[in-house]
Amino acid sequence: MASIRRTLSPLYHDRPFDNGGAPFSPSSISSRTSKHNSAQFLSFLTATTDPKSSRRGPWRRPFYQFLAFFLIGFLLGMTPFGQIDDMNGTDRSNFEIKPPNSVKREEVGVDGVSFVAEEKKKEDFDLVVPRKLVIVVTPTYNRAMQGYYLNRVAQTLRLVEPPVLWIVVEGNAASFETSEILRKTGVMYRHLVCKRNMTSIKDRGVHQRNAALEHIELHKLDGIVYFADDDNVYSLELFQSLRQIRRFGTWPVAMLAPSKNKAILEGPVCNGSQVIGWHTNEKSKRLRRFHVDMSGFAFNSTILWDPKRWKRPFPHPTRQLDTVKEGFQETTFIEQVVADESDMEGVPPACSRILNWHLHLDALDVPYPQGWVMQKNLEAVITVR
């Protein structure tokens, strides 16, 4: 049998071996394994003892991402959005943010005449001034035209800019029909009842207005009080002008004469907003101090519950009197509110416009339908052919 002998490969001639062993001898393999384990142990000791190497870990990348996003968010938060007024470059550290509202000026020609149209500019961050509360007092009672009158006043009050409080006063008891109308108007209201017996009273409206004045004084309502009877006709401009009154305002009222064939003007004569005289056409009323209709004046409600503010302290509350003759309720009430014409304001300036009418157009001898519903049709029936 022939034998084959392999010689040692020249590849391993230059490799040193420990203790002169062969390349794949157990001694050489164990020595290499021990060296590899010792190297790993030394690298572990170096990583645990070196502080610089301990800072290098898998948390570095998330940390840098968080830092980058934080800086981007901070810069976006500090960036002003809007129109920046640089003050012509004089003060670049002062940034004033302005809203986009600006003044627009343009020339407009109408029929060959040119003029400049300018839109009003809203000032930056103006404070909103609250409007004064308008307190409208309306006495009412059951009659044929009551529903029509209340709805007419309600439709006018719906057009007035809020806040508006409508105080409707009935006698003895609150009717269901009146409550239904008030609920459907969309106007803020209070439905009051005057508990006083009205059978032996000539002017029931005096006590009904006093019930409203007691309510205003009790709850300290702050606004402008106006007595608006339900059978009068009012313009929208009247209620808009009430908020201009500081203490006591008055204006002329047009009314029909009892004969219904001419109009009578009653109220102040003004020079600007100063009252200098009075319009009156009835000789029997010339004895009155102030010639004003009940619907021709309004006053600040604080006079009722804070008279010392207006330097008019009274030992008794400000109320209308039922002991005076008809036609004198207005002047006796106004004498409790103001001293003379110097405390009054003409509305509108110069008292140049009629803002409401007192017509006295109640239908006479008309049966009052129960619940404002006619149970039967008209007596005259015509058949359709």
Side-chain angles (χ1 to χ4, degrees), residues 209-223:
R209 296 186 193 98
N210 286 340
L213 295 177
E214 292 176 2
H215 182 83
I216 295 171
E217 182 178 355
L218 176 64
H219 296 278
K220 290 183 170 55
L221 301 179
D222 190 359

Side-chain angles (χ1 to χ4, degrees), residues 184-251:
K184 295 177 181 179
T185 57
V187 180
M188 182 172 59
Y189 73 92
R190 295 187 183 181
H191 193 185
L192 305 182
V193 175
C194 181
K195 298 295 185 180
R196 185 141 184 175
N197 188 7
M198 300 290 183
T199 55
S200 60
I201 297 177
K202 294 181 179 179
D203 190 357
R204 63 172 63 87
V206 172
H207 297 282
Q208 289 175 309
R209 296 186 193 98
N210 286 340
L213 295 177
E214 292 176 2
H215 182 83
I216 295 171
E217 182 178 355
L218 176 64
H219 296 278
K220 290 183 170 55
L221 301 179
D222 190 359
I224 303 298
V225 181
Y226 177 53
F227 298 125
D229 292 343
D230 57 0
D231 58 345
N232 292 349
V233 180
Y234 305 96
S235 65
L236 184 61
E237 183 183 358
L238 169 63
F239 296 98
Q240 295 173 347
S241 303
L242 294 180
R243 292 191 171 96
Q244 302 174 5
I245 297 174
R246 180 177 174 269
R247 176 172 181 169
F248 184 93
T250 181
W251 54 90

Side-chain angles (χ1 to χ4, degrees), residues 104-379:
K104 296 181 180 179
R105 300 176 62 91
E106 57 179 351
E107 292 190 1
V108 181
V110 179
D111 296 335
V113 180
S114 62
F115 59 93
V116 177
E118 179 176 345
E119 294 183 2
K120 293 183 179 179
K121 176 184 177 182
K122 296 181 180 179
E123 295 184 1
D124 303 340
F125 308 107
D126 276 345
L127 295 177
V128 178
V129 179
R131 302 188 189 98
K132 288 184 179 179
L133 173 66
V134 177
I135 307 172
V136 182
V137 176
T138 301
T140 186
Y141 61 97
N142 295 340
R143 61 194 189 279
M145 304 293 289
Q146 182 187 15
Y148 164 72
Y149 288 146
L150 288 177
N151 277 289
R152 186 175 62 179
V153 177
Q155 294 301 321
T156 304
L157 295 179
R158 288 184 64 180
L159 302 177
V160 183
E161 294 180 341
V164 177
L165 175 62
W166 190 17
I167 301 179
V168 179
V169 187
E170 286 193 288
N172 299 328
S175 65
F176 173 78
E177 294 78 13
T178 303
S179 301
E180 281 293 311
I181 286 183
L182 296 178
R183 279 194 291 265
K184 295 177 181 179
T185 57
V187 180
M188 182 172 59
Y189 73 92
R190 295 187 183 181
H191 193 185
L192 305 182
V193 175
C194 181
K195 298 295 185 180
R196 185 141 184 175
N197 188 7
M198 300 290 183
T199 55
S200 60
I201 297 177
K202 294 181 179 179
D203 190 357
R204 63 172 63 87
V206 172
H207 297 282
Q208 289 175 309
R209 296 186 193 98
N210 286 340
L213 295 177
E214 292 176 2
H215 182 83
I216 295 171
E217 182 178 355
L218 176 64
H219 296 278
K220 290 183 170 55
L221 301 179
D222 190 359
I224 303 298
V225 181
Y226 177 53
F227 298 125
D229 292 343
D230 57 0
D231 58 345
N232 292 349
V233 180
Y234 305 96
S235 65
L236 184 61
E237 183 183 358
L238 169 63
F239 296 98
Q240 295 173 347
S241 303
L242 294 180
R243 292 191 171 96
Q244 302 174 5
I245 297 174
R246 180 177 174 269
R247 176 172 181 169
F248 184 93
T250 181
W251 54 90
V253 178
M255 60 186 68
L256 287 179
S259 60
K260 302 293 190 297
N261 58 359
K262 65 176 182 179
I264 299 175
L265 188 63
E266 188 174 47
V269 178
C270 303
N271 181 15
S273 60
Q274 182 182 3
V275 178
I276 60 175
W278 302 96
H279 292 287
T280 181
N281 293 327
E282 298 184 26
K283 295 181 180 180
S284 60
K285 294 184 178 179
R286 290 182 179 176
L287 299 176
R288 294 188 300 172
R289 174 67 180 85
F290 303 110
H291 301 270
V292 187
D293 185 73
M294 188 64 71
S295 61
F297 67 91
F299 60 94
N300 197 311
S301 64
T302 56
I303 295 176
L304 301 175
W305 47 270
D306 192 11
K308 294 182 180 180
R309 172 183 174 184
W310 304 100
K311 300 179 181 180
R312 295 284 293 172
F314 297 104
H316 56 83
T318 303
R319 298 289 185 271
Q320 293 188 7
L321 305 178
D322 61 344
T323 56
V324 297
K325 295 181 180 180
E326 184 180 359
F328 284 82
Q329 287 90 357
E330 296 90 347
T331 182
T332 54
F333 177 78
I334 296 174
E335 290 173 5
Q336 303 175 59
V337 178
V338 297
D340 51 25
E341 286 80 0
S342 62
D343 295 333
M344 298 182 179
E345 310 163 37
V347 179
C351 302
S352 57
R353 292 188 295 277
I354 303 300
L355 301 180
N356 63 302
W357 283 77
H358 196 172
L359 298 179
H360 303 285
L361 295 180
D362 255 341
L364 301 177
D365 300 329
V366 176
Y368 174 73
Q370 184 68 25
W372 293 337
V373 177
M374 301 299 294
Q375 300 296 333
K376 298 181 180 180
N377 294 327
L378 299 177
E379 296 179 358

